[in-house]
Amino acid sequence: MTAFRRQSGPFVEGDKVQLTGPKGKMNTIVLTPGAVFHTHRGMIAHDDVVGLPDGSVVPSTTGDEYLALRPLLSDFVMSMPRGAAIVYPKDAAQIVAFADIFPGATVVEAGVGSGALSLWLLRAVGPEGRLASFERRREFADVAEGNVASFFGAEPENWTVTVGDLADELPAAMPDGTVDRVVLDMLAPWENVDVTADALKPGGLVICYVATATQLSRTAEALRASEAFTEPDASETLVRGWHVEGLAVRPDHRMIGHTGFLLTARRLAPGAVLPQLKRRPSKSDYSDADVEAWTPGALGERSASDKKLRKTARQARTAAEAAFAATEAVDGTTDGAGADGTSTGSAPA
């Protein structure tokens, strides 16, 4: 089946439910017949939550009240197991918007990381679309596959994960001119400009997510040098929350500042020559020393240890197996034995 989670209506067995306690701590459970959610503030039987409408308040055995809601995707990605740094919701929203990810689109994503962006892209392309993700490291792919399966309750049929370099694997996976959108979330996007241009349809779009100004500069210059794309457009997104309580209205003391730059460009038709913009000359030339400073090694990539990645992959797979068991119990294929309602997240979004 195509995996897309039920988003409204009374809670049923197999639903993920986010329980928020008196101090604002969030815990996500999968409703399983006979299971019990344990906390130092008492217990809540899963059967007591089944049948309640979304947004209900559920008392524990000690009388403490918990707010029960279906977790938003942003809640899930902020608390799911991580093997690599995730794309934050603020950037994922901009990627979906700026790349114009539409239902039915064929989208290529590289790399997959922990699967956060994959979840947003799968939501955007819908059941009729296709997402092809590429990841260099098998450990990261394992974490992403576990997280995606855990959220949807099944492995999406319209999603594939290929382990290997994009430059080597994309031509074999996607014929030239068949891809609507390409999302590059990697250390050196400029190394894949040519293969991206080949895969995209005329008018298709590439969007690159990079962390540093040097990465941004080199990627933009590579897109220009290819002569296959429109003039690249760069931006970043900053989010500042506000405290609003009576007359106490002020910015929050903390904010989500810089996490990355987004760079977009459209694929030109074969043989088309981009009209030159009339503007003042800029100091865009760079030396061999500048290029050396832009290399992946000089940028200082941070990576998790193999031990941590194996542990994170096990956590993601355990959550996915719990979601599978709950889904099967609802479908009547198993009796639901073995599902214990283990919390899959405890950090507030």
Side-chain angles (χ1 to χ4, degrees), residues 120-144:
W120 293 103
L121 295 175
L122 284 166
R123 272 271 191 89
V125 301
E128 303 302 321
R130 178 186 178 189
L131 175 63
S133 298
F134 296 82
E135 173 56 53
R136 284 183 173 181
R137 301 185 63 174
R138 176 73 259 179
E139 299 91 340
F140 288 168
D142 290 340
V143 174

Side-chain angles (χ1 to χ4, degrees), residues 99 102 104-108 178-182 199-201 203-206:
F102 57 90
T106 297
V107 179
V108 166
T178 61
V179 177
D180 295 300
R181 305 289 185 262
V182 174
L200 280 171
K201 299 175 181 178
L205 183 145
V206 60

Side-chain angles (χ1 to χ4, degrees), residues 149-150 153-155 317 319-329 334:
S150 174
E155 295 180 355
R317 178 51 57 184
E321 290 172 353
F324 290 163
T327 301
E328 290 173 351
T334 70

